[in-house]
């Protein structure tokens, strides 16, 4: 077990440390992380998920129970945080939406995928694939709608749109996102039993393989120079994301009768810390910025420990 934990988590810490040192020594600027993130989110990770889906048994992709557990865990923690933010911390709906995203959006691209690769192998990426579809099609559009509903000033005339129209508009935008349509294409090809020629699959696999290392390096670089603050809200956010969400995933997985391997996937996905994208939403919305960034940074550091604990228990 100690060997498994070391094998799963040491590469994450090592590569993030390299990114941090790159910033410390002046080899890279924190702004460079945005370029790396663009490469990962727009190209490397979508193609990595595409190949993973293409090589996955279609019967595993059709597992609606597995998908239902991920929906329960992801959206359940989102709605729980929304309730706490509105009625415990008394935030407005816009701030509550950002806080909910921070507490429910796992860093599947930067953190979860490398752990699943070591612990489970290629099959582990199906959880990342389905999880990204759920966040892109349900969670993020819902967050955008709530932000716009809470924005009294409005932008680009969007305040005049009916909430239903905003949902449709953002679903269309999500469908155009490479992180959605490229992996979904791999799912559809897998379900249809189609295999692409090796001359095409080889370069796709090459670009896909850089996603894990580059994303972790960018994450470490982003950490350089940050001064996170721990308070009641950051503590609450980290507790919900790193502890309550994986517990919800585990409870739902057991209730739905998932196999041990699939249960491992959902718990690991739930235990991954908050995605940096949640902080980007806070920054763009000019809302909850300090608390969101502190929650993500401290939560990622704590996530190395909580992820190890979860791996110990589920293994």
């Amino acid at each position: 077990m100690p060997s498994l934990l070391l094998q799963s988590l040491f590469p994450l810490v090592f590569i993030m440390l390299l990114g941090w040192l790159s910033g410390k020594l002046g080899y890279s600027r924190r702004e460079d992380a945005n370029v790396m993130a663009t490469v990962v989110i727009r190209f490397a990770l979508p193609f990595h998920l595409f190949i993973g889906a293409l090589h996955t048994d279609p019967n595993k992709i059709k597992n609606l129970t597995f998908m239902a557990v991920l929906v329960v865990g992801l959206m359940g923690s989102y709605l729980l945080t929304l309730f706490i933010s509105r009625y415990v911390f008394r935030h407005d709906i816009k701030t509550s939406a950002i806080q909910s995203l921070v507490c429910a959006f796992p860093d599947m691209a930067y953190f979860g995928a490398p752990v699943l690769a070591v612990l489970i192998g290629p099959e582990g990426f199906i959880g990342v694939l389905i999880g990204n579809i759920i966040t892109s099609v349900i969670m993020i559009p819902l967050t955008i709608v709530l932000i716009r509903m809470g924005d009294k000033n409005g932008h680009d005339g969007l305040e005049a749109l009916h909430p239903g129209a905003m949902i449709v508009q953002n679903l269309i935008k999500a469908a155009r996102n490479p992180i959605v349509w490229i992996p979904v294409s791999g799912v559809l090809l897998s379900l249809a039993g189609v295999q692409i020629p090796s001359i095409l699959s080889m370069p796709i696999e090459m670009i896909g393989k850089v996603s894990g290392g580059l994303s972790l390096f960018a994450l470490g670089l982003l950490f350089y120079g940050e001064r996170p603050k721990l308070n009641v809200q950051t503590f609450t956010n980290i507790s919900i994301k790193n502890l309550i969400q994986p517990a919800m995933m585990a409870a739902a997985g057991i209730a739905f009768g998932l196999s041990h391997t699939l249960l491992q996937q959902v718990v690991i996905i739930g235990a991954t810390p908050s995605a940096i994208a949640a902080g980007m939403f806070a920054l763009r919305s000019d809302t909850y910025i300090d608390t969101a960034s502190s929650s993500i940074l401290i939560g990622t550091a704590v996530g190395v420990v909580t992820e190890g604990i979860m791996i110990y228990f589920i293994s």
Side-chain angles (χ1 to χ4, degrees):
M1 180 56 64
S3 175
L4 178 61
L5 293 176
L6 185 63
Q7 189 178 14
S8 300
L9 299 177
F10 178 74
L12 306 181
V13 177
F14 181 80
I15 298 175
M16 283 192 290
L17 181 60
L18 286 180
W20 185 88
L21 283 174
S22 179
K24 175 72 173 177
L25 298 175
Y27 298 152
S28 305
R29 298 174 302 170
R30 293 187 75 251
E31 294 78 10
D32 296 336
N34 293 329
V35 178
M36 299 178 197
T38 299
V39 174
V40 171
I41 298 300
R42 297 293 185 185
F43 298 99
L45 182 61
F47 283 120
H48 190 50
L49 296 173
F50 173 86
I51 288 294
L54 194 65
H55 294 165
T56 300
D57 185 349
N59 292 324
K60 294 180 179 178
I61 296 177
K62 296 176 185 177
N63 193 334
L64 297 180
T65 302
F66 182 51
M67 185 178 296
V69 170
L70 283 170
V71 170
V72 169
L74 292 171
M75 296 311 301
S77 54
Y78 185 97
L79 296 175
L80 173 65
T81 307
L82 192 65
F83 177 85
I84 292 173
S85 184
R86 287 286 283 161
Y87 299 106
V88 176
F89 293 119
R90 301 292 181 179
H91 290 313
D92 58 58
I93 190 66
K94 182 178 179 179
T95 304
S96 297
I98 297 296
Q99 185 174 8
S100 298
L101 192 66
V102 169
C103 293
F105 191 180
D107 198 350
M108 292 174 281
Y110 288 164
F111 205 100
V115 174
L116 286 167
V118 173
L119 187 65
I120 298 175
E123 291 185 7
F125 292 113
I126 190 63
V128 177
L129 170 69
I130 296 175
N132 271 302
I133 292 174
I134 293 169
T135 55
S136 298
V137 175
I138 302 176
M139 187 183 293
I140 292 176
L142 175 60
T143 301
I144 294 172
V145 169
L146 293 175
I147 289 172
R148 293 178 180 178
M149 287 174 63
D151 191 350
K152 295 181 176 62
N153 296 322
H155 297 281
D156 302 323
L158 290 174
E159 71 280 9
L161 286 178
H162 186 276
M166 284 193 289
I167 293 173
V168 172
Q169 183 184 77
N170 286 292
L171 284 175
I172 293 172
K173 288 182 179 179
R176 294 175 180 172
N177 195 322
I179 197 67
V180 176
W181 72 262
I182 291 178
V184 167
S185 299
V187 171
L188 295 176
L189 290 175
S190 177
L191 293 174
V194 177
Q195 292 295 324
I196 62 175
S198 59
I199 194 172
L200 181 59
S201 66
M202 287 179 62
I204 291 177
E205 288 185 15
M206 287 178 66
I207 185 65
K209 286 179 180 177
V210 308
S211 61
L214 187 60
S215 61
L216 290 167
F217 187 93
L219 187 60
L221 181 58
L222 282 173
F223 284 177
Y224 175 70
E226 287 291 324
R227 297 291 186 271
K229 299 177 181 178
L230 182 62
N231 52 39
V232 174
Q233 290 204 46
T234 55
F235 179 79
T236 300
N237 294 343
I238 294 168
S239 298
I240 292 174
K241 180 67 212 66
N242 290 21
L243 299 175
I244 294 178
Q245 189 177 65
M248 292 176 70
M249 292 280 199
I254 294 171
F256 280 81
L258 287 186
S259 67
H260 183 253
T261 300
L262 294 181
L263 186 61
Q264 284 182 316
Q265 289 191 47
V266 296
V267 171
I268 289 173
I269 289 172
T272 56
S274 303
I276 291 179
M280 299 300 140
F281 270 87
L283 189 62
R284 272 184 268 172
S285 303
D286 194 24
T287 304
Y288 206 64
I289 297 173
D290 291 339
T291 307
S293 60
S294 294
S295 298
I296 293 169
L297 290 173
I298 299 174
T300 300
V302 174
V304 174
V305 178
T306 55
E307 191 81 82
I309 293 172
M310 295 299 169
I311 291 172
Y312 176 81
F313 279 115
I314 64 179
S315 298

